């Protein structure tokens, strides 16, 4: 007996670029482009996802980004696969200014290829008061569009900038108020992205909560309660879709801090 099997391969022959190479956290718009990818005619349409990885950093230091428990988990920028090979976003403040951007190209059977490119994201020099005002404007604008995944990405970017060498009571109180506001936006945005039916959406929400709760000392009781409740809802709702290893590790680390 002869058995013939046809296997499906991922898309091939494309490129991945991010422009500009260097920018500033939260304010520079970076353009992601997955160009020239192809596959067998029966495997179309192609879809795309965008994400990044931070490099490992030490515990300790002055800024919120330095103080949080950092890992090299994949951080999604979108809550589902995109039909567009072009994507524009801001990026967070990196622990050591370097990020690795990741682009994935899927065929209709969800076989995918991935490509990587580095970018440099310089710290945003801004006072706590000005950051709160900027974050308020950006979050308000994002909430008005009803774009949950953009709001989640924005929350992570703002959280990465919080902190600095000023550890006065007034500064820490202002940080806590801003984090409370970011947590409220996270909970609201999570309801818009379909975490129960999309593993990518669940991953983006869980990654955002992980970033936001990276420094437990900056969390109010209400933010801790909100984070635990949201984690419980997302994990329960996404049990059928499952999680990848990065998401599972980040979620476990978040729960251990709270």
């Amino acid at each position: 007996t002869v058995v013939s099997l046809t296997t499906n391969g991922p898309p091939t022959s494309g490129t991945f670029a991010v422009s500009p190479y260097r920018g500033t956290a939260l304010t520079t718009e970076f353009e992601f482009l997955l160009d020239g990818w192809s596959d067998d005619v029966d495997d179309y349409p192609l879809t795309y996802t965008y994400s990044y990885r931070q490099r490992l950093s030490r515990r300790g230091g002055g800024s919120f980004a330095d103080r949080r428990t950092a890992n090299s988990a994949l951080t999604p920028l979108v809550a589902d696969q995109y039909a567009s090979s072009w994507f524009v976003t801001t990026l967070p403040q990196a622990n050591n200014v370097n990020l690795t951007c990741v682009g994935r190209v899927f065929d209709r059977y969800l076989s995918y290829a991935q490509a990587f490119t580095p970018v440099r994201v310089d710290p945003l020099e801004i006072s706590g008061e000005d950051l709160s005002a900027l974050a308020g404007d950006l979050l308000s604008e994002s909430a008005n569009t009803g774009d949950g995944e953009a709001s989640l990405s924005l929350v992570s970017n703002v959280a990465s900038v919080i902190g600095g060498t000023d550890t006065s009571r007034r500064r820490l109180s202002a940080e806590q108020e801003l984090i409370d506001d970011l947590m409220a936006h996270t909970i609201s945005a999570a309801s818009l992205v379909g975490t129960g039916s999309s593993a990518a959406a669940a991953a983006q929400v869980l990654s955002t909560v992980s970033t936001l709760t990276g420094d437990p000392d900056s969390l109010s009781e209400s933010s801790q309660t909100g984070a635990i409740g949201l984690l419980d809802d997302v994990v329960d709702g996404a049990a059928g879709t499952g999680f990848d290893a990065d998401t599972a590790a980040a979620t476990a680390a978040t729960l251990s801090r709270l």
Side-chain angles (χ1 to χ4, degrees), residues 35-116:
D35 190 37
W37 294 86
S38 61
D39 207 336
D40 295 335
V41 65
D42 293 334
D43 292 352
Y44 284 84
L46 302 182
T47 52
Y48 310 85
T49 64
Y50 310 92
S51 53
Y52 64 86
R53 289 186 187 274
Q54 293 221 33
R55 293 185 182 175
L56 289 167
S57 69
R58 302 174 186 170
R59 293 175 183 269
S63 73
F64 184 91
D66 288 336
R67 295 195 308 265
R68 66 195 172 100
T69 303
N71 56 45
S72 59
L74 191 70
T75 302
L77 290 165
V78 294
D80 210 344
Q81 285 143 237
Y82 263 46
S84 173
S85 61
W86 177 76
F87 178 70
V88 178
T89 186
T90 58
L91 289 171
Q93 189 160 298
N95 294 310
N96 60 359
V97 307
N98 297 303
L99 292 178
T100 299
C101 297
V102 183
R104 290 179 174 175
V105 186
F106 295 77
D107 66 18
R108 65 181 299 185
Y109 302 108
L110 302 184
S111 180
Y112 71 87
Q114 62 182 352
F116 310 90

Side-chain angles (χ1 to χ4, degrees), residues 2 6 11 15 27 60 77 90 110 112 116 132 153-154 159 181 184 202-203 212 216 220 225:
V2 176
T6 301
T15 60
T27 57
L77 290 165
T90 58
L110 302 184
Y112 71 87
F116 310 90
S132 293
S153 182
L154 179 59
D181 192 30
L212 194 51
S220 67
T225 301

Side-chain angles (χ1 to χ4, degrees), residues 115-173:
F116 310 90
T117 190
V119 294
R120 179 184 173 108
V121 185
D122 294 322
L124 175 64
E125 301 295 337
I126 190 171
S127 70
E129 292 79 5
D130 287 345
L131 176 61
S132 293
L134 175 61
D137 290 343
L138 294 173
L139 288 166
S140 230
E141 181 181 340
S142 180
N144 288 338
T145 67
D147 188 341
E149 63 184 27
S151 293
L152 291 169
S153 182
L154 179 59
V155 166
S156 291
N157 293 349
V158 173
S160 74
V161 178
I162 295 173
T165 57
D166 178 5
T167 57
S168 66
R169 184 180 299 274
R170 179 179 178 184
R171 174 62 181 257
L172 294 175
S173 176

